[in-house]
Amino acid sequence: MLRKVRIILALIFFIGAALLFLDFTGTVHAYLGWIAKVQFLPAVLAVNIGVVALLVGLTLLFGRVYCSVICPLGVMQDIFAKFGKWSKKNRYSYSPALNIWRYTLLGVMIVAIILGIGSVVGVLAPYSSFGRIVHSLGAPLWQWGNNILADYAEKRESYAFYSTEIWMRSIAVFATAVITLIVLAILAWRNGRTYCNSICPVGTTLGFLSRFSLFRPTIELSKCNSCGLCARNCKSACIDSKAHKIDYSRCVSCMDCIGKCHKEAIKFTYKREKALETIPAVEPIKNEVNDSSRRNFLGLMAFIGGSALIEAAEKTVDGGLAVIEDKKIPDRKTHISPPGSKSHINIASRCTGCQLCVSVCPNHVLRPSGNLENFMHPVASFERGYCRPECTRCSEVCPTGAIQKIDLAEKSSIQIGRAQWVKENCVPLTDGVSCGNCERHCPVGAIQMIATVPGNEESLKIPAVDTEKCIGCGACENLCPSRPFSAIYVEGNERHRIV
């Protein structure tokens, strides 16, 4: 019964977390946004004391149920392990904990958090790894399915669905997600919870606390016949059936061992210190599973790739006739972080690169960085859209505080960058025609068109930017007709300011 309840709750959290990264309408977050907030590492980085205290208390009561129920990456491992179990039953075996490796990676995580190296934190963070996998690999398929339904509905004059643009935001992050998924799938398929109990720093942290949990799986020696069936079904490899011991630092309270024991010798109950004082002299069944493959994961960290260029995407057509050349990303000296992130330092120290903010951006402005200095962190670029003053979605969904929640009034006054004019690309000077697109579309009136010949109002006009009023929204850069580079682009602020 306990196992069934655990599986139902785990599926609720897993499906809910996946929908957060798949949804592009903004509806799901209104109902399920709390799932992102109750993840352990995001709560720690956001200094959400209430959630951290709740998860710590839950662990001290019931052990690592967070890993088997709340953490979507943990549930994903169970799904892959299930496929492996279909190919061979009773395939696991006990193996000693790799404590040196576990605590080394935990130390790396702590140092990275202290030093503000968000890229390292993002690679090791389980929730962020899950988010990258779902957003990079699942979201395009989800959107493709939506577009098929939208075409079908349009033919029947229905507006129940609408088409959305599908494009790859970063090749480097996509490759990272693919490698993470492959490594995770192989480890889980072959050995169950290897990643969870040997690599994940969150699992190591909660494992230290779960040693003292009040309720836990307990072996009753009076009923145990040392058949070893529990150990051969433990995907955490934490049951030593020969010694009748359970490593509670690795046990995720999945209840699989309880369901497999024919003698009802294992029960999830209040801990009893004297439960193991006498061990019956029964010859245990020989373990048939070779555990040498558990150490194959040591090459995991090799997937931290180098930087790659962000792919600007598909062509658009003007009036159905002339193909408009794609815009290219300008060479910005300083990248642009989203409104609410306050500064590059703040986002570097708190962002884990989960891609939740990227997935909800309706204007295709945010994309994960492919540069090593801020790898996987959200950066703004305006080839496909601009940061509309009426949109605050990214600040509403960030679970770590890397992007803090802001209202519309604050959004219109935060300067994330400043527009810069490039004389060589400006249409009035290159083609001898009037333009003024940047002035007409600037939401804060920071651009004015001035005469190229002072005192001659009949001469062609060029833009002049008031950098004190500009908020760096990118409307001017996005709507500039110059190709492939805009004649006006936004240079980011390392620290945001109020205008």
Side-chain angles (χ1 to χ4, degrees), residues 438-460:
C438 51
E439 180 193 38
R440 286 193 298 273
H441 295 285
C442 179
V444 294
I447 300 176
Q448 289 186 337
M449 301 302 290
I450 60 173
T452 52
V453 180
N456 183 2
E457 293 301 320
E458 299 299 322
S459 61
L460 292 172

Side-chain angles (χ1 to χ4, degrees), residues 106-127:
L106 177 60
V108 169
M109 170 72 87
I110 294 173
V111 171
I113 291 175
I114 294 173
L115 298 180
I117 309 175
S119 300
V120 175
V121 176
V123 167
L124 295 174
Y127 176 71

